[in-house]
DNA sequence: CGTTCAACCTGGGCGC
DNA sequence: TGCGCCCAGGTTGAAC
């Protein structure tokens, strides 16, 4: 998502549009007047990321617009899937992109404009772990090695490690040959190393492929096209289908209230 | 500390 | 066709 809207860097926000037709309003703060006052005229200095959140950095006071898409939020610079769940659109000038928008069907996500102090609180290392894209075996072990939780539950804990979601936790564990229910404190340094390598590879490939389209139209790229990483899923969403490595049937279980997929033969308990 | 549950929401797919 | 159910890239707080 971040890479998809890098073209807005350098543009100036000319108008803030809050489309009226969204059913239940999502959480947008501050209110319309303050949002407009602080955004209009501001220049986009950069687009960054804080775990799963997209951060539009503004020059001047150092305010940041933090987009948290949760399940169905999209950050778009092209036609949204439908008009009715468009939540916020920033009209731009001085650059190649006419506008950037936040769209969210289920509306579980949020948009927050934070001053430097507010953002610092959000980025507090006590509240969010180091980013998963550059994770190492030693880092994983330091963050999770003493936990008695199942390793897949640990991977999804954003305080321990930021950025891993349900699809990529399952895919990385398969890639590393580690059963999702293995207790964190039972993993060897070698296994943490394998898992770190698998995470880096899965996440980097997923970024290059612009994410996973689950087939229900939930996810789109910034240009409103489908992601392509679903074509590389080895276990996620493939219950009953043959494991790509050993042909045994992929199993679906529930762990920490989330669907989990693994191959019992390639990922022994 | 770890697990479970409910809540926040909409909509697609399925069986009947 | 309609309806009831299950499911979905997530997070939070309360209860056990």
């Amino acid at each position: 998502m971040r890479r998809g809207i890098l073209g807005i860097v350098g543009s100036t926000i000319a108008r803030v549009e809050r489309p009226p037709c969204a059913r239940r309003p999502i959480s947008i703060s501050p209110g319309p007047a303050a949002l407009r006052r602080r955004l209009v005229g501001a220049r986009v200095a950069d687009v960054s990321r804080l775990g799963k959140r997209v951060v539009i950095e503004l020059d001047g006071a150092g305010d940041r617009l933090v987009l948290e898409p949760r399940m169905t939020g999209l950050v778009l610079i092209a036609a949204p899937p439908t008009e009715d769940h468009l939540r916020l659109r920033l009209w731009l000038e001085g650059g190649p992109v006419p506008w950037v928008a936040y769209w969210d069907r289920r509306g579980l996500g949020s948009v927050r404009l934070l001053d430097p102090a507010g953002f610092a609180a959000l980025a507090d290392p006590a509240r969010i772990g180091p980013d998963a894209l550059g994770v190492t075996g030693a880092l994983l072990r330091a963050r999770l090695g003493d936990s008695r939780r199942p390793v897949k539950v640990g991977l999804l804990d954003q305080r321990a490690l930021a950025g891993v979601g349900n699809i990529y936790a399952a895919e990385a564990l398969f890639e590393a040959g580690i059963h999702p229910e293995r207790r964190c404190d039972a993993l060897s340094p070698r296994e943490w190393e394998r898992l770190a390598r698998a995470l880096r590879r899965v996440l980097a490939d997923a970024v290059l492929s612009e994410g996973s389209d689950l087939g229900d139209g939930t996810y789109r790229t910034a240009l409103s096209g489908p992601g392509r990483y679903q074509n590389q899923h080895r276990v996620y969403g493939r219950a009953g289908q043959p494991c790509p490595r050993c042909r045994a049937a992929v199993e679906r279980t529930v762990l920490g209230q989330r669907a989990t997929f693994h191959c019992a033969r390639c990922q022994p308990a």
Side-chain angles (χ1 to χ4, degrees):
Chain A
M1 287 177 171
R2 183 191 75 87
R3 290 161 62 113
I5 64 165
L6 275 178
I8 73 171
V9 174
S11 295
T12 297
I13 298 171
R15 186 160 70 88
V16 176
E17 177 191 4
R18 297 189 58 168
C21 37
R23 318 222 159 179
R24 297 266 176 264
I26 64 162
S27 170
I28 299 181
S29 65
L35 195 66
R36 183 167 299 112
R37 175 171 54 76
R38 289 165 63 185
L39 285 181
V40 172
R43 178 180 161 276
V44 176
D46 203 357
V47 182
S48 62
R49 187 172 60 75
L50 181 65
K52 296 176 181 177
R53 307 175 181 111
V54 176
V55 181
I56 298 174
E57 303 186 7
L58 305 169
D59 63 7
D63 285 346
R64 293 174 172 89
L65 193 65
V66 178
L67 312 174
E68 185 169 356
R70 301 268 178 117
M71 295 290 269
T72 51
L74 298 178
V75 184
L76 300 165
I77 56 171
T82 63
E83 290 299 322
D84 56 341
H85 293 107
L86 196 59
R87 312 289 184 157
L88 182 69
R89 171 151 50 189
L90 307 179
W91 290 87
L92 306 171
E93 57 189 21
V97 179
W99 49 262
V100 61
Y102 181 74
W103 181 96
D104 194 338
R105 182 162 71 190
R106 288 171 70 182
L108 301 179
S110 66
V111 177
R112 278 175 287 184
L113 180 61
L114 300 176
D115 62 19
F119 184 78
L122 203 63
D124 183 344
R127 292 181 56 187
I128 184 164
D131 194 82
L133 268 184
V135 74
T136 64
L139 181 62
L140 277 185
R141 193 152 60 97
R143 303 295 298 182
L144 293 170
D146 292 334
S147 171
R148 295 195 292 277
R149 291 174 293 180
V151 59
K152 193 216 174 202
V153 173
L155 287 180
L156 294 180
D157 179 354
Q158 303 300 299
R159 291 174 57 131
L161 183 72
V164 179
N166 203 33
I167 295 177
Y168 305 121
E171 292 297 316
L173 286 166
F174 173 80
E175 188 77 20
I178 296 171
H179 193 288
E181 293 184 38
R182 294 275 308 284
R183 264 171 58 153
C184 286
D185 61 4
L187 294 194
S188 69
R190 259 183 66 104
E191 290 177 311
W192 285 122
E193 203 59 56
R194 285 214 315 270
L195 184 51
R197 197 178 318 123
L199 275 169
R200 291 193 305 265
R201 181 170 161 204
V202 164
L203 292 173
D205 285 351
V207 169
L208 287 178
S209 296
E210 299 182 275
S212 301
D213 180 0
L214 297 188
D216 55 358
T218 46
Y219 175 75
R220 302 278 100 160
T221 70
L223 288 174
S224 206
R228 300 173 303 283
Y229 193 74
Q230 70 280 2
N231 301 319
Q232 295 178 62
H233 289 177
R234 304 203 181 274
V235 288
Y236 185 88
R238 299 179 56 87
Q241 298 179 51
C243 164
R245 191 178 290 157
C246 78
R247 315 311 286 173
V250 171
E251 293 183 20
R252 179 188 187 277
T253 60
V254 175
L255 201 50
Q257 325 303 116
R258 310 295 305 278
T260 285
F261 301 87
H262 74 279
C263 168
R265 194 178 299 171
C266 297
Q267 299 167 267

